[in-house]
Amino acid sequence: TEYQEKLKSELLIQPRMTTTLLLACSVLLLVALPGIHSLPSTVDGKDISQRSIGTTACIDEVIVMTFTSDRNDAESTDNFDLELEVNGDTYIAEFGTTTKDGGQLWKFAISDFHNIPSCVTKQDIEEIAIEEDTDDAWNIQSVLTVLRAGGDYELATMDMDVFQWVDGDNTFSNDVRHFELNLLI
């Protein structure tokens, strides 16, 4: 679509892209944009179409790339939570303010999740979700989550073109307070 082409071109011409943003753009270009590739391919030179993170490897980082829709009032000034459900317990890390300006990238060290065990494996993760408890909604067009363990990356969630309102006060007919992401691991 026109929006996807504009987004792709904006992400590719940013003059100060960090390695992290390049990683996220690789995920976006290889996985997220329909019609470019039907399956995940590589991230930072690592194959994510395979299960590249071992079952006993400790996750070091959760990388989240979100795209806010271009709908009116789609961005939010409130902070949202990224929730990991690990072996029946929920651990929370906080997102910053959202924006409509292209994709946003968040990197969470596993230690950013309050009181989480020091070693979490991909098999321990039962759910990844975005949560909001206040009254400022966020309309998420698409969201990807990638796990990193050492030098290996693996696509953990992929929710494309969902246009999901995440809101704490049920302002919109299709909004949810707890947006469970499509777990792939």
Side-chain angles (χ1 to χ4, degrees), residues 70-144:
D70 58 359
R71 295 179 181 177
N72 190 33
D73 295 326
E75 72 277 9
S76 175
T77 57
D78 287 349
N79 289 322
F80 289 74
D81 295 329
L82 180 64
E83 296 185 347
L84 290 184
E85 186 174 320
V86 176
N87 297 325
D89 293 318
T90 301
Y91 302 95
I92 296 171
E94 192 175 283
F95 283 98
T97 302
T98 66
T99 179
K100 285 189 197 181
D101 298 330
Q104 286 184 275
L105 180 73
W106 285 275
K107 289 176 65 176
F108 299 98
I110 204 68
S111 61
D112 291 340
F113 295 88
H114 186 65
N115 291 327
I116 198 165
S118 60
C119 182
V120 173
T121 69
K122 69 180 183 180
Q123 289 184 331
D124 295 333
I125 299 173
E126 299 166 345
E127 180 181 296
I128 301 175
I130 297 173
E131 179 92 16
E132 168 63 298
D133 289 325
T134 66
D135 62 354
D136 192 13
W138 179 16
N139 188 251
I140 300 172
Q141 177 176 339
S142 300
V143 58
L144 295 170

Side-chain angles (χ1 to χ4, degrees), residues 50-76:
Q50 305 297 314
R51 299 295 175 225
S52 58
I53 295 178
T55 57
T56 60
C58 296
I59 304 300
D60 298 313
E61 198 168 47
V62 180
I63 303 164
V64 182
M65 170 70 96
T66 61
F67 295 89
T68 301
S69 80
D70 58 359
R71 295 179 181 177
N72 190 33
D73 295 326
E75 72 277 9
S76 175

